């Protein structure tokens, strides 16, 4: 069964723990640009990060159906990848963390 918008909103608030400014600054780094599967030169996660910033700057009542769908995708991605756990050796500087950060979640916070 699909999640309600209220469920998506609550999970989004819990899981997306980077501010729009933090995420924008992160997306400018080389580390951000070097992780993930690339389509046309930009990884899926990096493109997602740009959408997340836009969503964060949109009033809840003004979110489009596409934005709600993307929020659900972001929540699912973060839950799946945090459940896998990061590397035992230096998770702070790992592709695992960098990928999650592209999706708006810093597991080291």
């Amino acid at each position: 069964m699909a999640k309600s918008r209220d469920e998506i909103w609550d999970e989004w608030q819990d899981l997306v723990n980077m501010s729009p400014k933090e995420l924008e600054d992160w997306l400018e780094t080389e580390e951000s640009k070097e992780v993930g599967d690339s389509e046309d030169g930009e990884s899926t996660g990096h493109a997602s990060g740009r959408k997340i910033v836009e969503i964060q700057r949109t009033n809840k009542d003004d979110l489009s159906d596409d934005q709600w769908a993307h929020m659900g995708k972001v929540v699912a991605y973060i839950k799946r990848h945090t459940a896998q756990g990061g590397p035992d050796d230096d998770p702070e500087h790992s592709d695992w963390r960098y990928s999650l950060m592209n999706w708006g979640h810093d597991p080291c916070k």
Side-chain angles (χ1 to χ4, degrees):
M1 176 163 57
K3 290 182 182 180
S4 72
R5 286 186 173 182
D6 286 338
E7 289 173 309
I8 292 170
W9 180 260
D10 289 344
E11 289 181 328
W12 171 273
Q13 295 298 312
D14 288 338
L15 295 171
V16 177
N17 66 359
M18 296 175 71
S19 71
K21 177 74 170 122
E22 286 175 313
L23 186 49
E24 279 181 325
D25 289 348
W26 165 250
L27 292 171
E28 292 299 317
T29 67
E30 287 306 311
E31 292 88 352
S32 169
K33 296 172 185 174
E34 291 174 357
V35 295
D37 296 329
S38 186
E39 293 178 10
D40 300 324
E42 182 178 32
S43 75
T44 304
H46 197 272
S48 175
R50 291 185 296 103
K51 290 179 187 177
I52 291 166
V53 170
E54 181 181 316
I55 290 167
Q56 289 176 311
R57 292 195 168 132
T58 302
N59 266 330
K60 181 181 179 183
D61 293 338
D62 297 330
L63 292 167
S64 70
D65 290 342
D66 286 345
Q67 287 174 315
W68 279 107
H70 191 69
M71 289 169 70
K73 183 177 178 179
V74 169
V75 164
Y77 179 90
I78 293 171
K79 288 174 95 174
R80 207 170 43 249
H81 285 272
T82 55
Q84 293 172 356
D88 292 331
D89 184 39
D90 198 17
E92 186 176 348
H93 300 101
S94 67
D95 286 352
W96 173 78
R97 177 184 182 219
Y98 296 161
S99 181
L100 279 164
M101 288 174 70
N102 279 352
W103 289 82
H105 179 81
D106 183 349
C108 292
K109 275 191 165 188

